[in-house]
Amino acid sequence: MAGIGEEVAHLLDALGVDRAAWTGGSMPSHSPLTGEQVASVRVADAADIDAALNRASAAFRAWRNVPAPRRGELVRLFGEELRAAKDDLAKLVTIEAGKIPSEGAGEVQEMIDICDFAVGLSRQLYGLTIATERPGHRMMEVWHPLGVVGVISAFNFPVAVWAWNAALALVCGNSVVWKPSEKTPLTALATQAVFARAVARFGDAPAGLSQLLVGGREAGEALVDDRRVALVSATGSTRMGRAVAPRLAQRFARAILELGGNNGVIVAPSADLDLALRGVAFGAMGTAGQRCTTTRRLFLHDSIYDGFVAKLKAAYASVGVGNPLEGEVLVGPLIDRAAYETMQEALVAARAAGGVVHGGGRVGEGASYYVRPALVEMPGQVGPVLEETFAPILYVMRYDDLDAVIEQHNAVAAGLSSAIFTTDMREAERFLAAGGSDCGIANVNLGTSGAEIGGAFGGEKETGGGRESGSDSWKAYMRRATNTVNYSDALPLAQGVSFDLG
């Protein structure tokens, strides 16, 4: 390896990753910054997967009996190790996923934040005491650890999404087996090495509590189909979700699905337009359009359309595109050639549907794929506007009636993130009401990207319905038991049922 490969080697060594894991393997790892191969990763075979699941099952049986606050201590130590490793891990995220440095650092910070959240949660895994109709009885619900949790993550958030799941799963008393994207195995190896340092400091965690399965589709299918795995949290495309969900349902396993997002923003006449411009620009261009929460549809009121589009065009034309390690840029590369080709196909379809395309061309040549973000003025919500393209394409449309545009906003298959920019309280509340946005995330005066870990993350419809991270998402990683205790010397039955043996 040369050039950026040397930097990768330095980072992996600094993060404590065993060289045998990323040299001499059968899976090539490429950086989207240059397109060059930077590692060759060892892939888990069927025997490795079986052994990992056996270890995870044994680890769960031991870990479930550890008091939850003690489990939280392991996650607290992991957060400390992440703080110490933040700069190196963030740079590796930039190199492997193509994010600009602030986004790479932000992703690691998100891991630290969810650790903090989970540590507090470890003392709040509470149930309810429930009123009972039977005298001399007490009824309550309790929450118990669930089992082995499988995590299948995507390239665009190569470490944060695992952390959302793992931090909660661990404090809830579960073991974790992680299958990362084939496009980002190095950050997963590094994260696992950081976690191992926390385990060493903790001292008495069972072996196999958190494990990594590097591989292709076969590794993911093993997690989905194996009865030793109680829950699979899968992040990826809707197509992937359609394959995963029925296979899990067939064996009555649990699923947390975080799938596609065709996210829309409405800008009303009363909006603070400078605020809206910044929110739309980041939402549409951040991470080179490769977020599930990326803004992909923009509805502008007729009265502000021309002026707002002119400002957007100027922003799109001036935004820095390039290697995030070599200059002050805001838009890094697409992950690979396939992503670039998919983007170009969508732009061709947009033109065929009557759209006017601004930008979207390739920047530079070679084995990396940098593009100028595309702004596409569409005559209506037709053709490619109805589909999610994982690239920086923003479709812009006019509207003149709020109720009609909310209906149009909701007329897509996915339901992840949404936003309205307005200073009219009635418009804001209409958007947030039951008849407003049908998405799992609905914002007022901020964009569709940048969710905080304190709120449950996820969406409806073809987004999959799963929830991760904050609020009460922890309940998905536990099983609920309703307990009734009879402390009387009688045996009254509920609903007045009589069963007298005489």
Side-chain angles (χ1 to χ4, degrees):
M1 295 181 293
I4 201 169
E6 294 177 351
E7 180 66 14
V8 167
H10 169 75
L11 291 170
L12 292 173
D13 286 341
L15 289 162
V17 182
D18 185 352
R19 284 208 165 210
W22 56 275
T23 59
S26 60
M27 177 186 287
S29 176
H30 297 83
S31 169
L33 301 187
T34 62
E36 67 187 272
Q37 181 175 333
V38 294
S40 52
V41 184
R42 184 183 178 278
V43 173
D45 60 22
D48 295 326
I49 295 170
D50 183 64
L53 291 177
N54 279 334
R55 288 191 297 270
S57 296
F60 163 68
R61 288 192 293 273
W63 191 241
R64 65 185 174 181
N65 294 318
V66 175
R70 175 65 178 158
R71 300 192 298 248
E73 172 63 8
L74 174 57
V75 176
R76 187 190 71 80
L77 293 172
F78 181 44
E80 286 188 354
E81 294 296 335
L82 284 171
R83 285 177 170 88
K86 180 177 178 179
D87 290 345
D88 286 341
L89 186 55
K91 190 167 187 180
L92 190 60
V93 169
T94 289
I95 291 173
E96 190 173 42
K99 293 188 174 186
I100 62 175
S102 66
E103 289 194 77
E107 179 160 357
V108 182
Q109 185 61 49
E110 198 164 354
M111 301 172 76
I112 295 167
D113 292 346
I114 196 64
C115 286
D116 289 348
F117 180 92
V119 172
L121 179 64
S122 69
R123 294 181 180 270
Q124 299 182 73
L125 300 175
Y126 50 79
L128 300 173
T129 300
I130 304 165
T132 172
E133 65 187 71
R134 291 172 284 189
H137 287 58
R138 178 166 60 88
M139 185 163 58
M140 58 190 174
E141 67 174 27
V142 296
W143 294 84
H144 295 300
L146 180 64
V148 178
V149 171
V151 179
I152 301 173
S153 60
F155 76 86
N156 59 324
F157 278 85
V159 289
V161 168
W162 171 82
W164 289 356
N165 287 276
L168 298 191
L170 288 168
V171 299
C172 288
N174 306 307
S175 58
V176 181
V177 181
W178 179 16
K179 190 275 178 192
S181 169
E182 304 95 303
K183 299 176 183 180
T184 51
L186 302 180
T187 44
L189 288 168
T191 297
Q192 194 69 14
V194 174
F195 183 77
R197 291 202 287 276
V199 169
R201 291 176 60 193
F202 184 78
D204 59 350
L209 192 56
S210 175
Q211 296 178 86
L212 189 64
L213 296 180
V214 174
R217 181 171 179 172
E218 297 78 9
E221 288 177 340
L223 290 181
V224 170
D225 293 337
D226 199 294
R227 291 188 176 276
R228 288 169 289 187
V229 181
L231 163 70
V232 173
S233 177
T235 301
S237 66
T238 297
R239 179 180 57 81
M240 181 270 284
R242 291 190 194 282
V244 166
R247 293 171 73 153
L248 289 170
Q250 188 173 27
R251 63 180 184 88
F252 300 104
R254 292 195 196 175
I256 297 175
L257 299 178
E258 298 291 352
L259 309 176
N262 193 352
N263 312 297
V265 170
I266 298 169
V267 182
S270 69
D272 178 332
L273 297 183
D274 289 336
L275 186 72
L277 182 67
R278 295 196 301 273
V280 170
F282 171 69
M285 293 188 282
T287 325
Q290 297 171 121
R291 289 185 179 224
C292 53
T293 54
T294 291
T295 304
R296 308 201 182 280
R297 298 174 297 138
L298 177 62
F299 301 95
L300 299 174
H301 192 270
D302 273 330
S303 62
I304 62 168
Y305 182 94
D306 291 336
F308 198 87
V309 167
K311 291 181 179 180
L312 266 180
K313 287 179 182 177
Y316 269 57
S318 63
V319 71
V321 178
N323 188 330
L325 297 181
E326 295 181 351
E328 294 295 323
V329 301
L330 293 179
V331 179
L334 295 176
I335 190 66
D336 56 22
R337 178 177 178 176
Y340 170 75
E341 291 176 345
T342 299
M343 177 180 179
Q344 298 309 307
E345 290 168 1
L347 294 178
V348 169
R351 292 186 181 97
V356 178
V357 177
H358 310 279
R362 188 174 177 187
V363 177
E365 298 178 344
S368 55
Y369 290 86
Y370 295 87
V371 294
R372 293 219 66 83
L375 182 69
V376 185
E377 296 183 77
M378 292 295 295
Q381 191 162 255
V382 295
V385 184
L386 296 171
E387 305 293 332
E388 178 190 40
T389 301
F390 223 58
I393 302 175
L394 178 63
Y395 300 107
V396 188
M397 293 155 283
R398 297 176 181 267
Y399 84 92
D400 59 12
D401 176 77
L402 182 63
D403 287 339
V405 77
I406 289 176
E407 184 175 345
Q408 189 177 14
H409 169 276
N410 293 345
V412 294
L416 178 52
S417 189
S418 60
I420 187 170
F421 284 86
T422 179
T423 56
D424 185 327
M425 182 185 72
R426 291 171 297 180
E427 288 186 323
E429 293 296 335
R430 172 74 181 86
F431 184 74
L432 300 179
S437 169
D438 64 358
C439 294
I441 299 170
N443 297 329
V444 175
N445 293 330
L446 69 158
T448 59
S449 283
E452 296 182 40
I453 57 92
F457 181 89
E460 302 301 323
K461 303 188 294 188
E462 290 189 359
T463 301
R467 293 297 186 276
E468 296 170 325
S469 190
S471 185
D472 65 348
S473 295
W474 61 271
K475 292 180 178 179
Y477 304 89
M478 305 196 82
R479 61 179 180 87
R480 183 198 319 239
T482 300
N483 302 153
T484 305
V485 177
N486 178 4
Y487 57 91
S488 75
D489 57 4
L491 191 66
L493 301 177
Q495 294 87 45
V497 174
S498 177
F499 194 80
D500 189 355
L501 295 177

